[in-house]
Amino acid sequence: MSTKRTPWVIPGGTPPSKCRGCQAEIYFVPYTRRVDNRSGRMPVDPDGTPYFATCPEAHNFRKERSAR
């Protein structure tokens, strides 16, 4: 069962950036994490799609999880 997610809203005046992996244009959207209320920045495509869902180099940015 797949649910369609609402795209992220890119605030006006947010400067574009380049992906370090494939040089595509992306935006960093500020958000607050629900778990610990810390602020973060989510990379998104110009249409608001989370960028790691579309980047062909996304596997290069993932961190290995430590054993607990």
Side-chain angles (χ1 to χ4, degrees):
M1 181 158 109
S2 175
T3 59
K4 182 145 179 135
R5 292 188 172 198
T6 305
W8 288 76
V9 175
I10 302 170
T14 302
S17 296
K18 294 280 185 189
C19 173
R20 289 182 284 164
C22 68
Q23 301 304 308
E25 183 176 279
I26 59 174
Y27 293 86
F28 285 95
V29 177
Y31 74 100
T32 302
R33 298 177 191 181
R34 292 181 188 175
V35 176
D36 54 9
N37 288 330
R38 290 179 30 199
S39 60
R41 297 185 323 143
M42 168 67 77
V44 298
D45 285 328
D47 67 355
T49 304
Y51 187 63
F52 292 129
T54 61
C55 179
E57 299 292 322
H59 63 279
N60 291 329
F61 299 109
R62 290 192 176 94
K63 296 178 184 176
E64 286 193 30
R65 295 184 179 213
S66 60
R68 291 187 183 210

